[in-house]
Amino acid sequence: MPRRRTSSSSSSTGSPTGATGAAAAPRNRTPQPVRIRRRSFGDFVKAFLAFVALAVLLVGVPGALATQIGWPLPDGVPSFDWLQQEITVHTFLNILTVIVWLAWAQFTACVLVEMKAALSGVGVPGRVPGAGPSQLLARQLVAALLLVGATAASFTPGLSQLGNSYDANQKPTVAAAQATPGLFAQQQEQASGAAAALAEQASHAAAHADAGGSTAKQGDTKYYRIQPPEGRHHDSLWEIAQRHLGDGRRYKEIFELNKDRVQPDGSRLSEASLIRPGWIMEMPGDARGGELVEMPDEAPNVSPDVQQQISDYARTGDHAQGGGGAQGGSDQAQGGGATQVSVPDQQRPAQDGTGHQQATAVGAESDSAFGLPEALLTAPLLAAGLLGALGRRRRQALWQSAFGAVGGRRGMEPPTPSGDAQDVQDALLVGADPEGVRLLDRSLRGLAASLAEESRALPVVYAAWLSNGDLHLQLAQPAGKPPAPWQQGQDQTFWMLSRTDAERYEDVDTAAPYPGLVSLGTMDDSRLLLNLEAVPGIVSLSGREADRAAVFASVAAELATNGWSDRMTITLVGFGEDLTPLAPNRIRHLEDVEALVEAMEAETRQRRGALGAAGHDSVLTGRTGPAQHTRWAPHLVLLAAQPSAEDAVKLAELAADASRLGIGYLVGTDTGDLPGAAWEMEITGQGKLLAPLLGLELDAQSLPVAQQRAVVELFVEADPERESDRPATTPPFLVDISEQGRPAVYARLVGPYEIIGLDTPDGERSALLHEALALLLLHREGVHPRVLSSALWPRGVTDDVRGALLDRLRDWLGADPDGTPRLTTDGSGRLTLAKSVVSDLDVLRSLYHEATQGRGVGSRAVRGRLLTDALVLVRGPLLADRPEGRYQWLSHEIVDAQLPLLVADTGLALCEFHMEKDRAEKAIEALNAALRTAPADERLWHELLRATHATGDTQRLTGLATDLIGRSGARGLPPRTEALLDELLPTWRDAIAAVG
């Protein structure tokens, strides 16, 4: 039968999965002995006690009732007089006896149902109505009774689970029915009592790639019947491949041979890590291992019923149906007509899972010389979060500095990074996908708003997959039909939103529903985001300490800066103290586990009480209510070092109910064995994130220590508090403002874009060349070629196209009279412009600097002339006529904050210059000119009020106050402006009321 290639991996052991595919696996293996679990004395004791308990409950109870009490119901139809008789003790005993008889009948039915399912070995036992605890007890007793035999085929909790709620053990196991992307939730018994698991299959549906015949002729094909669990041990394809093929990594061959074929219980194999007792697996022809590898006609130890099942199964599959149709049939059978997740054609350029297309590396050797950190280039969501947070930090520093002084103030230019920090900043600019973050945020909030309109609760989401721009949510359990434009995914536990539909969403005023989503890595073209706060227990991460630290740093940095959350607390234990500058309001650091346990015990109690008082069953319910913006923010705990055995147990107890409370735990471990770990992962030295039990093998997202330090350096350098202790900064590029410094090429950026000194390039590429020149003019320190190309082509571009653009740009700019090219490359490989290429923004900065820190300091006349010339240059906002859809890279820049502040500072300085000579009208003229570019600057309005007051025209001042009130809208006047009006015009309230 044709072999379909898959990239998923699955294991039930701690062995790391390999990357070797089925096609490359050796076909001849040394037969391995079948491992048969020996029954212990304890197993026989449990079976005997279970037999005694069943005998007492099934035979002893009715016998005692019949002999001691007798038949409790009347022999005939009671009369009306009987109903009016006094209730005696005998009557009360008869009523209790009827109740006991009914309970016995219900329990007997449960035993029969569980016994039938266990002996048949097929399917999951049905539920007896209203018999939750009774059926759980019956299942446990039947399981223990059959533990000493090999006939039980479907029992789940062992005797150690006695006391767990029946509903908790009956949550449906979720299976994905399609290849890309996929993730499933799978029940796992844990010491904490929390049960759940996660897996995914994100693979190419390349059935044509590895086409071939069946492993053998039908009559000679070998089959394996999935064995029932032994205690807590469940069969897995990995162990089956290990036993009978000699290599667990060959589980993919078994999966491909049996994928989507109908099993005896009517279900299908859709995930390599989800198999059920009683299922039949066709095996590769070289399978070995005794009677557990069975053939239809040569299985003397197999019952006729099972032989018939194998014979029926042998007639299914690609070799029996002509091949090809299994995958499509799966969606019909399990999806119920749901929208099928499309797999991108292999000829299309691969994307990184957020719609952020990556170009083919034609010039890999040349790119490697630039040395940009790969970890950030391949983490678009993390890079976008860091870049956005860094921009906000720099703007905050500018604004804080702006209100600190007038004229010659510090902090106009942020420090220019160098070395590793510069490389990291470039990597953030190249790798960031702010559009992907925006769509993810709008999609999740839009979903929450739609569910709230329908009075539906938010479903529990274990994870999200971003694949080619489409968003797939993996639900913990089916939650009905998703609201439009969301669609049903490959089964009832997947909700999908296409990128096209996501782009139609607008901003909505609702709380972020799933702020705990964080990127872990990629599988093929799909990116996994795990919802840490929804994990039913602890997520453990094993591996080398340095590798774990890189993953923990990535998780912490993305949680601290992501764009799809409102508020959260991130507690870092034993590591990451230097990460606090990324988000001081979110990140807190604790030194040891003891302090963590103390703090989390208190918070767990507090959250339980708050949920109870609010009448919510979980934080998800609270996020859709009236207090959605102020309560129920997640608290995510990251503990990188392995806790002691005692502390691990305490954490497991705390994590047992954490998912309901919005608390998540990610804990590092050296051994991979951690109490209460619901999901176990391992990071390898090769950067692979493995979770064999969950079927995950990802290219891990990490933040190595060198890049971590450089990122922190960028944030520390932008700290507003540090800025106040520094000397006034000098613009990165000062222009010779004398007549001799006339530039060869002059670009007007402040206002409509205009270039003087260059011929207009041909029409098709004119806009692209203009945009490239604008980016270079705003970064006189140099621009990395990959930063330039990612700015012009946010969705990616090949190296040859980028190289062709740079050649055209060099030809267009030309050379100076001495032959020096106007576009050169510095020692670090970055593109720089010659000093003969100047913008009006460069001139504006130079004029203001010269007036406030240069020649203008010692000469009043020079200062006035320079400030007046600077204000004349201001013709409007930056690149006022830029075409829609272009210049998207400006959202990463802070020049949109720098320019209004620079113009305001210039206007304020010129106002001060005129007010020194009591020229109020000139001062008002300068302030109005500055307000056209910086209308929101409160300082300008304050000086305008003072200058107007200086004219002595009360009516004019009242009109200005009225204008200010109209501009402030519902928010009202700022307190400082109101206080200034009280000083300048005490009767302003009455005057404005009379006017209005």
Side-chain angles (χ1 to χ4, degrees):
M1 60 187 287
R3 303 287 179 82
R4 291 181 295 274
R5 182 168 50 87
T6 180
S7 62
S8 60
S9 63
S10 174
S11 174
S12 61
T13 69
S15 305
T17 56
T20 307
R27 304 302 300 173
N28 296 317
R29 302 282 178 174
T30 303
Q32 299 293 321
V34 179
R35 294 180 295 178
I36 301 177
R37 182 179 180 273
R38 299 293 181 182
R39 310 302 179 192
S40 66
F41 176 74
D43 293 336
F44 287 97
V45 172
K46 288 181 180 180
F48 175 75
L49 294 177
F51 174 78
V52 172
L54 285 172
V56 170
L57 293 173
L58 296 180
V59 180
V61 170
L65 291 173
T67 58
Q68 300 300 320
I69 299 179
W71 186 248
L73 299 178
D75 297 333
V77 179
S79 64
F80 184 75
D81 294 337
W82 180 84
L83 296 176
Q84 293 179 332
Q85 293 178 2
E86 181 181 358
I87 297 177
T88 64
V89 175
H90 179 72
T91 305
F92 184 71
L93 289 176
N94 282 343
I95 294 174
L96 289 180
T97 303
V98 171
I99 295 174
V100 174
W101 273 107
L102 292 175
W104 172 84
Q106 184 188 60
F107 178 74
T108 303
C110 294
V111 172
L112 294 176
V113 168
E114 295 295 330
M115 188 70 74
K116 178 181 180 297
L119 294 177
S120 65
V122 177
V124 178
R127 294 189 61 174
V128 178
S134 296
Q135 190 163 1
L136 174 61
L137 177 62
R139 174 175 295 187
Q140 293 167 339
L141 293 175
V142 171
L145 181 62
L146 299 179
L147 188 63
V148 295
T151 58
S154 181
F155 54 89
T156 308
L159 290 177
S160 60
Q161 255 66 47
L162 190 61
N164 286 0
S165 69
Y166 178 73
D167 291 338
N169 289 281
Q170 288 295 316
K171 291 181 181 178
T173 300
V174 180
Q178 183 64 33
T180 305
L183 190 71
F184 72 88
Q186 170 185 330
Q187 300 293 338
Q188 281 187 301
E189 266 62 34
Q190 299 297 338
S192 64
L198 162 70
E200 188 277 340
Q201 303 298 331
S203 60
H204 297 291
H208 59 278
D210 289 326
S214 178
T215 55
K217 296 179 181 179
Q218 179 176 338
D220 297 331
T221 304
K222 301 178 181 180
Y223 294 86
Y224 175 79
R225 192 160 176 264
I226 304 301
Q227 298 301 298
E230 298 176 352
R232 286 196 176 189
H233 173 77
H234 293 253
D235 223 341
S236 70
L237 292 186
W238 178 282
E239 291 193 344
I240 294 170
Q242 187 71 39
R243 289 198 303 265
H244 303 298
L245 299 176
D247 187 350
R249 290 173 295 182
R250 294 185 64 189
Y251 79 92
K252 298 179 182 179
E253 298 179 51
I254 305 174
F255 174 73
E256 292 299 337
L257 286 172
N258 299 276
K259 182 181 179 183
D260 297 325
R261 293 169 65 179
V262 179
Q263 293 292 337
D265 62 357
S267 55
R268 300 171 186 259
L269 173 67
S270 58
E271 296 293 344
S273 49
L274 178 62
I275 58 177
R276 299 179 183 173
W279 278 9
I280 297 166
M281 296 289 114
E282 180 181 342
M283 300 292 290
D286 61 336
R288 299 291 185 272
E291 64 180 6
L292 294 183
V293 177
E294 302 157 351
M295 295 180 290
D297 301 327
E298 301 179 11
N301 297 326
V302 177
S303 67
D305 290 342
V306 175
Q307 289 191 33
Q308 184 61 45
Q309 291 175 2
I310 296 177
S311 298
D312 294 341
Y313 187 76
R315 290 193 291 271
T316 66
D318 289 349
H319 65 280
Q321 301 176 5
Q327 188 166 341
S330 175
D331 278 306
Q332 283 299 105
Q334 296 196 21
T339 302
Q340 181 175 349
V341 180
S342 60
V343 180
D345 189 273
Q346 299 301 309
Q347 299 301 318
R348 289 173 55 188
Q351 298 186 350
D352 67 0
T354 63
H356 196 59
Q357 185 170 304
Q358 299 299 306
T360 306
V362 176
E365 291 185 3
S366 62
D367 270 352
S368 64
F370 296 140
L372 295 186
E374 191 69 22
L376 292 170
L377 293 176
T378 57
L381 304 183
L382 169 61
L386 289 171
L387 197 60
L390 182 60
R392 290 190 295 272
R393 179 68 58 83
R394 287 174 171 171
R395 286 181 176 87
Q396 181 184 359
L398 281 173
W399 294 328
Q400 183 166 325
S401 179
F403 286 94
V406 176
R409 67 178 177 82
R410 301 184 176 98
M412 175 59 70
E413 301 295 335
T416 301
S418 60
D420 290 343
Q422 186 177 21
D423 289 339
V424 161
Q425 178 173 277
D426 287 341
L428 293 177
L429 290 167
V430 174
D433 181 20
E435 178 67 10
V437 171
R438 185 182 67 86
L439 290 179
L440 176 61
D441 180 48
R442 286 186 173 183
S443 300
L444 295 176
R445 293 180 194 267
L447 174 63
S450 298
L451 290 172
E453 290 178 0
E454 299 177 7
S455 298
R456 297 170 59 185
L458 288 168
V460 177
V461 169
Y462 279 158
W465 282 91
L466 287 165
S467 181
N468 299 325
D470 297 338
L471 174 60
H472 305 256
L473 296 183
Q474 170 61 52
L475 313 184
Q477 56 190 9
K481 183 180 179 180
W486 290 78
Q487 302 173 357
Q488 194 88 56
Q490 50 264 39
D491 61 35
Q492 294 182 353
T493 60
F494 279 89
W495 286 2
M496 186 199 75
L497 182 69
S498 68
R499 184 184 181 92
T500 303
D501 290 332
E503 289 171 346
R504 299 193 184 105
Y505 267 120
E506 296 181 355
D507 292 330
V508 292
D509 184 23
T510 189
Y514 304 112
L517 286 169
V518 64
S519 304
L520 290 184
T522 58
M523 180 184 288
D524 294 332
D525 60 350
S526 298
R527 180 171 301 277
L528 170 66
L529 288 86
L530 179 66
N531 190 6
L532 280 180
E533 68 167 336
V535 177
I538 293 173
V539 180
S540 69
L541 179 65
S542 61
R544 294 188 309 177
E545 184 176 358
D547 298 326
R548 293 202 316 261
V551 174
F552 272 86
S554 170
V555 170
E558 186 170 300
L559 288 174
T561 61
N562 73 51
W564 54 88
S565 64
D566 298 322
R567 299 180 304 114
M568 70 171 63
T569 300
I570 307 163
T571 298
L572 309 182
V573 186
F575 86 104
E577 187 175 6
D578 54 340
L579 292 174
T580 304
L582 301 186
N585 295 329
R586 285 193 177 188
I587 296 178
R588 71 172 181 176
H589 178 265
L590 297 178
E591 291 294 338
D592 51 43
V593 182
E594 182 179 353
L596 171 68
V597 171
E598 181 180 355
M600 297 313 298
E601 284 178 344
E603 180 162 351
T604 299
R605 288 193 301 270
Q606 187 273 333
R607 289 204 174 207
R608 283 175 180 160
L611 280 176
H616 300 317
D617 56 352
S618 73
V619 295
L620 288 180
T621 310
R623 285 180 188 157
T624 56
Q628 56 177 302
H629 290 290
T630 58
R631 304 177 69 181
W632 318 121
H635 186 168
L636 304 175
V637 176
L638 308 183
L639 173 58
Q642 178 166 341
S644 66
E646 181 181 357
D647 290 334
V649 172
K650 291 180 180 178
L651 288 176
E653 293 173 352
L654 289 171
D657 194 31
S659 60
R660 186 177 68 90
L661 306 176
I663 302 175
Y665 293 87
L666 178 61
V667 181
T669 172
D670 299 324
T671 62
D673 184 14
L674 193 68
W679 298 336
E680 298 177 346
M681 298 183 294
E682 175 190 0
I683 178 66
T684 70
Q686 292 73 40
K688 293 289 185 180
L689 190 66
L690 307 178
L693 287 174
L694 309 179
L696 293 175
E697 182 177 344
L698 305 171
D699 293 323
Q701 179 173 298
S702 62
L703 188 61
V705 62
Q707 283 84 55
Q708 177 183 333
R709 289 171 179 167
V711 166
V712 172
E713 179 183 341
L714 290 174
F715 279 80
V716 170
E717 289 294 321
D719 188 350
E721 301 301 326
R722 289 172 55 92
E723 198 71 40
S724 60
D725 297 332
R726 295 185 172 194
T729 55
T730 301
F733 178 68
L734 290 175
V735 178
D736 183 359
I737 55 177
S738 66
E739 188 65 27
Q740 292 74 24
R742 183 179 298 274
V745 177
Y746 182 67
R748 292 179 175 176
L749 304 180
V750 184
Y753 192 3
E754 181 183 357
I755 298 178
I756 301 171
L758 290 177
D759 295 332
T760 302
D762 53 348
E764 292 183 358
R765 299 185 179 91
S766 177
L768 208 60
L769 292 173
H770 277 73
E771 187 174 356
L773 179 57
L775 178 61
L776 291 168
L777 285 167
L778 293 177
H779 291 277
R780 303 303 304 225
E781 73 277 8
V783 177
H784 196 290
R786 293 190 65 177
V787 173
L788 178 65
S789 63
S790 68
L792 301 179
W793 295 283
R795 298 181 69 87
V797 67
T798 55
D799 291 354
D800 56 339
V801 173
R802 179 179 65 206
L805 171 74
L806 294 180
D807 291 341
R808 293 189 187 95
L809 188 58
R810 289 189 181 96
D811 293 341
W812 180 43
L813 292 175
D816 288 332
D818 61 358
T820 303
R822 292 172 180 155
L823 179 63
T824 59
T825 304
D826 64 13
S828 64
R830 290 173 171 81
L831 302 168
T832 58
L833 290 172
K835 292 183 177 181
S836 59
V837 182
V838 173
S839 74
D840 54 355
L841 185 58
D842 296 326
V843 177
L844 176 60
R845 286 168 171 163
S846 300
L847 288 170
Y848 177 77
H849 179 267
E850 192 68 20
T852 56
Q853 300 180 46
R855 290 181 296 144
V857 175
S859 172
R860 171 181 166 78
V862 171
R863 182 168 74 256
R865 177 172 56 83
L866 292 174
L867 291 173
T868 302
D869 290 346
L871 209 54
V872 169
L873 292 175
V874 180
R875 300 174 300 126
L878 186 74
L879 298 168
D881 59 350
R882 58 181 180 266
E884 186 177 356
R886 308 282 327 167
Y887 298 85
Q888 296 180 4
W889 47 270
L890 280 173
S891 62
H892 300 322
E893 306 284 343
I894 64 167
V895 67
D896 60 337
Q898 286 177 305
L899 178 59
L901 289 176
L902 176 60
V903 172
D905 282 353
T906 304
L908 292 170
L910 189 55
C911 170
E912 181 185 15
F913 172 81
H914 288 304
M915 291 301 293
E916 288 175 354
K917 297 295 184 179
D918 296 325
R919 295 196 290 259
E921 293 295 339
K922 288 287 186 180
I924 292 173
E925 182 182 345
L927 291 170
N928 283 326
L931 279 168
R932 285 193 287 270
T933 299
D937 198 306
E938 189 179 357
R939 299 171 302 157
L940 291 175
W941 290 104
H942 289 176
E943 294 307 314
L944 185 59
L945 287 171
R946 292 188 177 99
T948 305
H949 177 263
T951 64
D953 190 340
T954 304
Q955 186 176 358
R956 186 177 180 182
L957 183 59
T958 303
L960 179 58
T962 304
D963 184 30
L964 269 174
I965 292 174
R967 291 173 179 270
S968 61
R971 295 175 300 175
L973 290 175
R976 286 181 291 189
T977 303
E978 192 171 319
L980 181 59
L981 276 173
D982 287 336
E983 176 188 347
L984 300 178
L985 188 64
T987 60
W988 66 274
R989 291 180 176 85
D990 297 333
I992 291 174
V995 173

